[in-house]
Amino acid sequence: MDGEKKILAFELLGSFTCKDARQEPMKAGRKTLSFLQYLIINHGRNISSEELMEQFWGEKDSRDPANALKHMLFKTRRLLRSMFPEWENLLLTLQGCYAWNPKVQLELDTEQFEQYCLLAKRQKKEVRLETLLKAASLYKGEFLSGNDSDWVVSLRRYYQTLYLDVCKETLPILQKEERWQEIIRICDQASSVDFSTDIFVVCQMQALTALGHPEHAIEAYQRFRERLWQEFEIEPARHVEQAYLLAVSMQQNSVEYQDIIRLVTEEDTDGQAFFCTFHMFQSIVALEKRHLARSRQTSSLVVVSLGNKVTPTTDARRLERILLEGLRTGDPVARLDAGSYILMLTGASVENAQMVMERLIHTFHKAYSRSKACISFQVSPLKPSEASTAH
């Protein structure tokens, strides 16, 4: 069947494989494998000797790039013979360039992936989902995982961006159809590519809550929040908080009557102040302002800062510990940035709040005498809500 082309299907998204190759471990060095992969990804054109020498043997890498290219081609052809023993001349030498044998057709998952992405953009909404899911299923991992050559890096980012865009477009459609399990699966994989894109954790939490597992949604939120702070020192966005509060509400509604009474009446077991996100802190302050309008009592807000001459992560954790252990269980505390916090002292005047903070600063320096932190604070009285006062 001389007129029929032989098809070689390569997978480049994830582990580098070819289903038509002999199923044996590839015995090749990292550079040889990268060289072959470069030829594969550029299979649609003739590749000049100059391009290959510049790509793999810059001036610093080899004194004789032409000879290095000659040896590399020998190794690559030997590798191809081990993968496809029935083929003699898969890689042809032309005048000043190299090309794949025209009797062979290379099919790449990257090209199919791009085709699905382009097709989805042209399709109507009612048929787009199937194409998007096909595209997402092809992305089995980062482009040429394990190959950190310069030529790979930009392509890897390109395919990651394409994949994340596919996921972002797929999730709203799946939500309308209430396909929660598929949402969870897509969010899991997309988060492994870019955990900081919060749409993935939000959709995952919503799906888990919809399936009746709010406790798993809360766990997903806690993992996301912890990692977000560790890597970027920022708090989750408002819509992430809203998904979290929905999960908490659903979890509480599933608790038995006796457990609800116990949760409401028993004291906090850890005896620490209430550490929360800034958005949650805003909600607590808004409630306290309404309460003050009716009770005519006083409460204070305090912003406390470490100063500049500190080790941000270490001293921030120390200050956080002092605040949580030194304040009352009903006093909320939220992080503003890497070295500052905001807290509310319920029922405390400005004078009392100043005394509390001076005590806490003294406790800090006594516990961490070697710290260079120069802690400062500002106290402001919390004003009652005007709307509530009018009533």
Side-chain angles (χ1 to χ4, degrees):
M1 301 174 67
D2 294 336
E4 189 173 330
K5 284 190 175 183
K6 168 71 174 176
I7 295 176
L8 301 180
F10 288 95
E11 291 184 357
L12 310 178
L13 296 172
S15 300
F16 173 59
T17 57
C18 178
K19 63 181 181 181
D20 300 307
R22 178 181 287 180
Q23 298 301 311
E24 291 182 2
M26 293 184 190
K27 296 180 180 180
R30 293 170 66 90
K31 195 163 188 174
T32 304
L33 199 57
S34 180
F35 187 85
L36 173 60
Q37 291 165 346
Y38 187 84
L39 296 176
I40 290 171
I41 200 73
N42 293 287
H43 70 93
R45 62 186 180 87
N46 296 345
I47 309 173
S48 69
S49 303
E50 289 76 13
E51 177 183 340
L52 291 170
M53 286 187 286
E54 183 178 350
Q55 189 67 249
F56 290 92
W57 298 277
E59 293 180 3
K60 297 180 181 179
D61 295 331
S62 176
R63 295 180 181 177
D64 189 359
N67 192 47
L69 174 59
K70 180 180 177 181
H71 284 293
M72 180 59 73
L73 286 165
F74 174 78
K75 291 180 182 178
T76 304
R77 287 190 169 106
R78 185 173 61 185
L79 175 59
L80 286 170
R81 279 196 298 271
S82 69
M83 294 171 64
F84 310 102
E86 70 276 17
W87 283 88
E88 284 293 327
N89 297 306
L90 280 174
L91 193 61
L92 303 179
T93 301
L94 305 178
Q95 188 172 358
C97 62
Y98 304 91
W100 288 88
N101 192 319
K103 294 181 180 179
V104 174
Q105 178 179 334
L106 271 63
E107 292 185 353
L108 313 185
D109 58 346
T110 50
E111 294 174 344
Q112 191 176 7
F113 175 66
E114 286 179 293
Q115 288 167 5
Y116 280 136
C117 292
L118 292 171
L119 177 61
K121 290 181 179 180
R122 298 194 298 266
Q123 288 179 320
K124 295 181 180 179
K125 290 184 178 180
E126 54 268 22
V127 294
R128 186 181 302 159
L129 178 60
E130 184 180 351
T131 305
L132 290 169
L133 290 174
K134 286 179 180 178
S137 68
L138 285 171
Y139 194 90
K140 297 175 182 176
E142 61 181 22
F143 175 71
L144 291 179
S145 175
N147 185 345
D148 294 323
S149 303
D150 291 341
W151 70 269
V152 173
V153 175
S154 58
L155 284 171
R156 182 172 293 157
R157 289 199 199 99
Y158 167 70
Y159 289 116
Q160 282 178 347
T161 302
L162 270 186
Y163 170 69
L164 294 173
D165 288 345
V166 164
C167 293
K168 290 173 189 175
E169 196 171 347
T170 304
L171 290 171
I173 305 174
L174 291 175
Q175 283 181 319
K176 287 182 180 179
E177 298 186 8
E178 299 185 1
R179 293 163 66 169
W180 308 120
Q181 293 289 1
E182 289 175 87
I183 289 173
I184 293 170
R185 177 179 54 78
I186 287 175
C187 289
D188 278 339
Q189 185 172 352
S191 296
S192 69
V193 176
D194 181 9
F195 89 93
S196 64
T197 302
D198 49 27
I199 187 177
F200 302 134
V201 72
V202 168
C203 290
Q204 184 185 45
M205 291 164 64
Q206 291 171 341
L208 288 167
T209 303
L211 288 171
H213 300 295
E215 69 282 4
H216 296 325
I218 293 170
E219 290 171 4
Y221 165 81
Q222 290 169 340
R223 288 192 301 269
F224 174 76
R225 183 186 175 197
E226 182 178 350
R227 189 173 175 191
L228 197 66
W229 181 257
Q230 286 176 347
E231 300 209 13
F232 303 111
E233 294 190 339
I234 59 175
E235 294 286 0
R238 193 179 192 91
H239 56 285
V240 182
E241 296 293 331
Q242 290 171 343
Y244 166 68
L245 291 174
L246 174 63
V248 170
S249 175
M250 289 290 291
Q251 186 184 43
Q252 290 173 345
N253 289 339
S254 66
V255 178
E256 295 294 331
Y257 172 78
Q258 294 84 353
D259 293 330
I260 294 174
I261 299 299
R262 192 180 304 114
L263 285 169
V264 171
T265 57
E266 72 180 2
E267 293 186 3
D268 198 345
T269 53
D270 62 10
Q272 295 188 343
F274 179 59
F275 188 75
C276 58
T277 65
F278 181 73
H279 294 305
M280 192 178 293
F281 183 87
Q282 286 179 306
S283 299
I284 295 171
V285 169
L287 289 172
E288 178 64 10
K289 288 171 69 175
R290 293 188 180 190
H291 170 71
L292 293 178
R294 295 192 301 270
S295 67
R296 305 296 180 181
Q297 295 177 350
T298 58
S299 291
S300 298
L301 293 176
V302 183
V303 175
V304 55
S305 177
L306 282 165
N308 297 325
K309 297 179 180 180
V310 294
T311 307
T313 305
T314 302
D315 281 314
R317 287 176 180 171
R318 290 170 174 174
L319 178 58
E320 188 174 305
R321 177 173 172 267
I322 294 298
L323 292 175
L324 294 180
E325 293 181 357
L327 295 172
R328 297 166 298 178
T329 56
D331 294 334
V333 181
R335 187 187 290 118
L336 291 175
D337 55 40
S340 61
Y341 296 81
I342 186 169
L343 52 111
M344 182 174 70
L345 300 177
T346 54
S349 64
V350 171
E351 293 77 13
N352 289 338
Q354 288 174 337
M355 292 172 60
V356 169
M357 293 310 301
E358 287 168 1
R359 172 177 59 81
L360 291 173
I361 292 172
H362 175 74
T363 303
F364 179 94
H365 289 299
K366 186 177 179 180
Y368 308 107
S369 57
R370 296 184 179 180
S371 171
K372 296 180 180 179
C374 182
I375 301 175
S376 61
F377 66 90
Q378 286 185 317
V379 181
S380 301
L382 184 62
K383 297 180 179 180
S385 171
E386 293 181 4
S388 298
T389 305
H391 294 290

